[in-house]
Amino acid sequence: MSSLASKQGPRYRHASGEEEPYETIAVEKLTPIIGAEISGVDLGRLVSEQGSNRQMDEIHRALAENSVIFFRDQAITPAQHLAFGRKFGDLHVHPAAPHEGDDPALMKIYADKDSPRANGEGWHTDVSCDVEPPMGSILYIKQCPPRGGDTLFASMYAAYESLSDRMKAYLDGLIALHDGEPAYRGLYANMGVADRPTYPRAEHPVVRTHPVTGRKALYVNRGFTSHIIGLPRDESDAVLAYLYQHCENPLFQCRFRWTENAIAFWDNRCTQHRAMWDYWPHTRSGTRVTVKGERPV
Ligand code: SIN
């Protein structure tokens, strides 16, 4: 560690407040900044008649406080996976990815030795090219490789809060274009999905305010953001390159090591994620249910 770092401490200081205890679930934080593992809950039971509203309220709270939450050893059916998603809102149908079975809201996540790529290999926020991008995604991994296949998550609250005041002032009010076309065209050809005539594109604020927590979060990502509107292209490219690099600081991240039948539920409004495809030639598979969101402000 440099003497500067040891004298000044980390550049980003997370202000963790007094924590109110949970009564119906156990919440174990992965880092002070992002991610928590939840135990003491059976999601299959929760979505049935026997589930308690108090437990649902506490899961909502755990998501708001940690931005991404994880559950292990959940033997749920596709119908229960979909029903758990519906507890948080209407379900989103992916504009390009294949689905598992009959329900288009049950997105298929699959990579094996013959795959040319795996889903979500670069840092991104899900489908930010939609006018109303998804609020959250619930990924259920049923088959894991013996090692690897982790998912990394990064807090866009921490990324925003650690910017200099000058950079915050510069970004204030800027709007960026998010484009699905370069991201999705041809992407799922190997899974038998034909291209659509067009893909979604939308304009969103570079900094958005979370509708539940009221906190500000950076909302640009390598996967979909094409440019910042109204800036010369070279300036937009330079600013976005800086922001992407800044967002990828390990200080803002947690890393989830999957086990079979684990679930990750992330809030797309304040996180980015990246899936590690380091397990070839092994297979990793599961399904994702995505919950609709609102227009970012
Ligand atoms: C995704 O981006 O939804 C895929 C994440 C993963 O497979 O870990």
Side-chain angles (χ1 to χ4, degrees), residues 105-170:
L106 195 68
M107 179 178 158
K108 180 173 178 167
I109 300 285
Y110 185 88
D112 70 10
K113 63 177 179 14
D114 299 319
S115 301
R117 47 172 289 279
N119 228 70
E121 278 180 83
W123 281 106
H124 67 286
T125 305
D126 290 326
V127 202
S128 68
C129 53
D130 268 1
V131 173
E132 294 183 339
M135 69 70 75
S137 304
I138 305 168
L139 177 60
Y140 180 41
I141 292 292
K142 285 186 75 68
Q143 185 180 0
C144 287
R147 272 169 301 283
D150 298 355
T151 310
L152 277 59
F153 296 90
S155 166
M156 293 303 106
Y157 293 140
Y160 175 74
E161 288 160 9
S162 61
L163 292 171
S164 69
D165 288 343
R166 284 207 181 235
M167 181 56 86
K168 285 179 186 159
Y170 174 83

Side-chain angles (χ1 to χ4, degrees), residues 5-260:
S6 59
K7 279 190 196 128
Q8 297 188 336
R11 182 166 147 201
Y12 176 61
R13 291 188 185 173
H14 176 68
S16 51
E18 197 61 30
E19 279 164 27
E20 199 189 312
Y22 289 85
E23 286 167 11
T24 62
I25 55 174
V27 178
E28 185 70 34
K29 282 182 179 292
L30 267 67
T31 78
I33 291 167
I34 179 170
E37 210 163 309
I38 311 295
S39 55
V41 55
D42 176 342
L43 295 182
R45 221 176 117 83
L46 187 64
V47 295
S48 71
E49 295 309 307
Q50 301 132 312
S52 94
N53 286 337
R54 183 88 184 101
Q55 227 175 20
M56 270 309 295
D57 290 347
E58 291 206 325
I59 290 173
H60 268 276
R61 194 184 123 209
L63 182 64
E65 288 180 356
N66 298 286
S67 305
V68 53
I69 52 179
F70 307 101
F71 305 85
R72 293 201 190 267
D73 302 321
Q74 301 290 330
I76 55 168
T77 63
Q80 288 169 328
H81 189 181
L82 290 158
F84 182 56
R86 276 191 212 101
K87 294 264 183 197
F88 295 85
D90 291 338
L91 299 185
H92 173 271
V93 173
H94 198 281
H99 54 87
E100 182 87 44
D102 294 335
D103 197 321
L106 195 68
M107 179 178 158
K108 180 173 178 167
I109 300 285
Y110 185 88
D112 70 10
K113 63 177 179 14
D114 299 319
S115 301
R117 47 172 289 279
N119 228 70
E121 278 180 83
W123 281 106
H124 67 286
T125 305
D126 290 326
V127 202
S128 68
C129 53
D130 268 1
V131 173
E132 294 183 339
M135 69 70 75
S137 304
I138 305 168
L139 177 60
Y140 180 41
I141 292 292
K142 285 186 75 68
Q143 185 180 0
C144 287
R147 272 169 301 283
D150 298 355
T151 310
L152 277 59
F153 296 90
S155 166
M156 293 303 106
Y157 293 140
Y160 175 74
E161 288 160 9
S162 61
L163 292 171
S164 69
D165 288 343
R166 284 207 181 235
M167 181 56 86
K168 285 179 186 159
Y170 174 83
L171 298 178
D172 187 36
L174 290 180
I175 304 288
L177 181 76
H178 296 240
D179 192 356
E181 175 73 33
Y184 291 140
R185 185 158 300 280
L187 191 66
Y188 295 103
N190 67 303
M191 292 169 104
V193 180
D195 276 326
R196 293 178 164 213
T198 57
Y199 290 97
R201 59 192 340 225
E203 294 178 8
H204 299 307
V206 170
V207 177
R208 69 181 291 183
T209 302
H210 195 286
V212 176
T213 65
R215 292 172 72 187
K216 287 185 173 180
L218 266 182
Y219 197 66
V220 288
N221 67 88
R222 287 187 194 274
F224 298 102
T225 311
S226 132
H227 62 279
I228 300 175
I229 293 163
L231 298 186
R233 198 56 183 239
D234 56 350
E235 182 176 335
S236 165
D237 289 350
V239 171
L240 287 175
Y242 166 71
L243 293 176
Y244 297 153
Q245 189 194 13
H246 172 75
C247 288
E248 292 162 16
N249 184 337
L251 196 57
F252 313 146
Q253 296 174 16
C254 71
R255 180 173 182 135
F256 185 59
R257 180 164 293 177
W258 290 92
T259 44
E260 283 179 2

